[in-house]
Amino acid sequence: MKESTFVKHTTLFLHSVDFVKNSFVFDELDSTNATAKELAKKGAQEGTVVIARTQTHGRGRFDRRWESPEGGVYLSLVLRPQVPLEKTSLLSFLAALAVAKTIATYGVQATIKWPNDVRVNGKKIAGILLESEGGGSTSTYVVVGIGMNLAIDLKQLSAELQTTSTSLLNEVHQAVDYHKFLQTFFRIFEHFYAIYQEQRFSNILAEWKTFTDTLGKQVKIQTIAETVQGTAVDIDESGFLLLRTSEGELKKILSGDCLYFDELHHA
Ligand code: BTN
């Protein structure tokens, strides 16, 4: 089959990115994370990148669907970090931070809702899905999946998402170049990934905290096991959210859906 312009240009572009060691670009794929995981299991090296123009079965956190129309960024990175296993989830903080900083280069203020929803004006613009396999004290591989509403006309999304999502195109009201966005993103990601590999985790969390609007807020967290409410007081050095309940108990939460009380009441 003849290569599309998207595949040709994106492959060529990825060859110029230092961080990218191997790339697989598709016009349409079920899920870039699913393909990246298969490649990782077969031994794909760190810096392998899978990109699709659209996805038919894009996956979100908690097995949700990630709508993936044309114009979005659907990207998965294979990493093999040499850091303690309990620090793996910090990679999703790192990815959210890199996306938020990339968005900032367009003069748009992005915020991060714990753990890794990137939002603009309270609407979701990007999400991160981390999938990994442990091998003793470190991970054998980590796939960092990034879905970003870049040049998406919001009408391409379902009615439900149209009210809760935004895109960079919708925020800047001018054309946004796909490869330029990726170039900035990879530059920033590479910078923080070097810090991560040096195990300077507090530096990453300190930067992440400058973007989050979760800390200090009254939140409701739905985990797989329970729903808890309280004040989000801090994030610990492994990415756990520290929540102070109304009974004064301090709970440590690794993963969950975070809802803000002030937004719940206005909904
Ligand atoms: C979330 O629920 O917020 C995470 C969404 C992650 C979506 C991205 S799109 C690229 C990669 N491939 C997938 O199937 N999912 C991730």
Side-chain angles (χ1 to χ4, degrees), residues 22-165:
N22 203 357
S23 61
F24 298 84
V25 183
F26 303 84
D27 274 311
E28 186 184 278
L29 206 58
D30 52 351
S31 152
T32 57
N33 260 38
T35 300
K37 268 174 83 176
E38 278 168 29
L39 290 165
K41 283 183 183 154
K42 287 185 199 145
Q45 63 179 322
E46 164 149 303
T48 298
V49 168
V50 181
I51 286 186
R53 193 166 62 97
T54 58
Q55 296 182 118
T56 53
H57 294 84
R59 311 205 285 236
R61 291 171 72 226
F62 303 112
D63 268 337
R64 292 188 189 120
R65 183 169 162 245
W66 184 261
E67 294 182 20
S68 311
E70 205 178 318
V73 172
Y74 313 110
L75 156 73
S76 299
L77 279 171
V78 176
L79 301 173
R80 298 189 183 274
Q82 297 300 305
V83 304
L85 202 57
E86 69 270 17
K87 302 295 184 188
T88 303
S89 64
L90 289 182
L91 279 171
S92 70
F93 288 70
L94 193 164
L97 172 63
V99 170
K101 278 194 160 270
T102 307
I103 291 171
T105 65
Y106 292 80
V108 171
Q109 172 68 53
T111 54
I112 305 175
K113 183 159 76 115
W114 178 87
N116 48 42
D117 275 2
V118 184
R119 310 197 312 166
V120 173
N121 295 323
K123 297 196 165 180
K124 186 155 169 171
I125 196 164
I128 316 292
L129 178 66
L130 215 66
E131 298 189 78
S132 62
E133 198 172 274
S137 60
T138 59
S139 319
T140 28
Y141 70 80
V142 184
V143 169
V144 182
I146 297 152
M148 159 84 194
N149 300 339
L150 188 75
I152 290 183
D153 175 351
L154 297 182
K155 290 194 211 82
Q156 292 169 275
L157 298 173
S158 63
E160 188 196 344
L161 282 193
Q162 281 183 33
T163 57
T164 56
S165 308

Side-chain angles (χ1 to χ4, degrees), residues 73 98-110 120 125 148-151 167-188 211:
V73 172
V99 170
K101 278 194 160 270
T102 307
I103 291 171
T105 65
Y106 292 80
V108 171
Q109 172 68 53
V120 173
I125 196 164
M148 159 84 194
N149 300 339
L150 188 75
S167 68
L168 197 55
L169 178 68
N170 190 54
E171 299 298 327
V172 298
H173 306 292
Q174 63 184 44
V176 280
D177 184 80
Y178 184 91
H179 297 122
K180 172 92 177 45
F181 181 89
L182 283 184
Q183 189 172 41
T184 309
F185 169 77
F186 279 119
R187 183 175 48 75
I188 298 173
F211 281 90

